[in-house]
Amino acid sequence: MRTEVVKLIKEALKKKGVKLEEDKINSMIEIPPSTELGDYAFPCFFLAKEMKMEPAEIALEVRTKIGNVPEEYFNDVQTHGPYINFFINHKGQVYEALKEILKKRESFGKSNLGQKRTIVIEFSSPNIAKSFGIGHIRSTIIGNSIANLCEFQGYTAKRINYLGDWGAQFGQLIFGYKKFGDSKKFKKNPLAHLQEIYVKINKNKKYLEESKKEFKNLEEGDRENLALWRKFRELSISEFEKIYKMFDIKFDEFTSESGTNNYLEKTLKELKEKKLSRKSQGALVVHLKKYGLGTAIIQKSDGTSIYCLRDIAEAIRRHKKYNFEKMIYEVGQEQTMHFQQVFKILELMGYGWAKNCVHVKHGLYLGKDKKKFSTRKGKTADLNEIIDITEKYAQKEISKRFPELGQKELKERALKVALASIFYGDLKNNRETNIIFDPKSFVSFEGNTGPYILYSYARASSILKKTKTKDKFSVPKKLEDKERDLFKSLTDFPEVALKAFKNYNPSIIANYIYSICKTFNEFYHAHPVIGSDEEPFRLALIESFRQVLRNSCNLLGIKLLEEM
């Protein structure tokens, strides 16, 4: 209905000689504080300067130009001082809207905005030879959701996992393994042992020079170092794939920093030919000071590569392969300067598409002490440990409410609740915000949490299972306030999905989910369904709620449960 309001205002303003884009009009529309003032309100203050009239006069003029309104959509359009207020014909509209939701089902809310266009999204990108830690959860969850949002708007989303499998840290790991490696520990838990070695090496500066030599040997093709590197890489990927399978997250391409080695020389040559690279204290750099971006190092003084150069080379490869409209890097906020430098260098190299590369940054997970986790310092949390802890909390909460559940069923449900809790516990926050990681609060069945969302869906499913009516729903005799509130919130979904996509912000969807679940539960407590005079209509309203909630949760990567 908001779309119809926008169209009416746009045409009326056009008749007055004022041209406004629909997005601008839409952004100005307000929800009145009272239903007595209608369902939507358009303020005319901002038009006063252009039209050289008082806002209240403008409202009257625009209302006149709107003329008669379609009765199937509106009961009335009135002015109230400087506002134009729109009163929706809810009884007719709720019937049509529910029919649309139940007909389109999983397609409800989708658009063809990005038809035949591609967006590349790089996300997750964990480091090889380290446990999949808390530092990569945010990129994995947020990046996957952004890819879902792109696909929902009709784009082809190419998901890329760019593994951190090259660089100075591998010199540290290879040196550390040669010096401190324990075959028994490595066999029992390879990634945990490698992480232990990595922490030990970084605690003693005397090992850093030897580590640099080992990395240089690796880049020069030393057989022993390459064999160790391959072993570390294979074990890591095997562990990561288990996590992605559990999360039900798939990638179109697994690439890696090491994969750029074949075209680094070509990129270096191009930078030199275009007179962008310079020697500085033995290193190769690109000066970006006049753009406020300092100096980007692209090759170290010892001749070894650095990730800035590798990212430039990889971006060029991706554009050649996918001819993308946009490329999104879902990477932590600490890499902001790095990506600004990479994008600027690509632009200076003459690649016009560089302006369509976007760093979508996220904040950090913090410990309860409000300090960040650090693998180098040994302060981190392995994802498997996190899931195990969250799952135990979930089992405890589910057992309280459903003591009759067997152990097998309890464990299966608890894992699903734990994953939904982690996903929702992250995504309800604005992605740029730092989060205190607290699994216990994530698993609460009350408040703005994943379990509350799952419970709302299961409650709706339970009502539908109890009904015996076969009657088709029709226009309600009387539309109650709570019914109207739920209907209105469901019809907002397409606009909410579009807004989340445009802002690369899954929290917009998460907050919408919480809002519709609250509205559904208020409706549920206010009005009986089974056996009521409006049973067919209310069942259709509940089924529409379930469908919109499913569509919304799919965008976040959250799996719902028919029973809690």
Side-chain angles (χ1 to χ4, degrees), residues 43 91 190 194 300 445 452 455 479 555:
K91 286 173 66 174
L194 288 175
K300 292 181 181 179
F445 273 60
Y452 174 77
Y455 192 73
L479 193 64
L555 291 176

Side-chain angles (χ1 to χ4, degrees), residues 213-225:
K213 290 177 187 175
E214 293 290 7
F215 179 58
K216 187 167 177 58
N217 290 340
L218 178 65
E219 284 216 311
E220 291 174 353
D222 180 87
R223 293 178 67 180
E224 183 186 5
N225 285 10

Side-chain angles (χ1 to χ4, degrees), residues 144-166:
N144 182 61
S145 182
I146 289 172
N148 292 339
L149 288 167
C150 292
E151 289 174 334
F152 206 66
Q153 299 304 326
Y155 286 89
T156 297
K158 293 296 181 181
R159 295 163 165 83
I160 292 183
N161 197 336
Y162 185 56
L163 300 170
D165 70 343
W166 205 253

Side-chain angles (χ1 to χ4, degrees), residues 11 33 108 148 252 284 373 456 485 491 517 534 550:
E11 288 304 312
F108 177 69
N148 292 339
D252 295 283
L284 207 57
F373 293 90
S456 299
D485 291 345
T491 57
C517 285
E534 295 285 8
R550 272 200 303 273

Side-chain angles (χ1 to χ4, degrees), residues 499-521:
K499 184 179 178 182
F501 160 74
K502 286 181 175 179
N503 290 278
Y504 314 120
N505 193 351
S507 72
I508 293 171
I509 296 291
N511 292 326
Y512 170 75
I513 286 172
Y514 180 54
S515 174
I516 63 170
C517 285
K518 278 206 310 179
T519 306
F520 163 72
N521 283 302

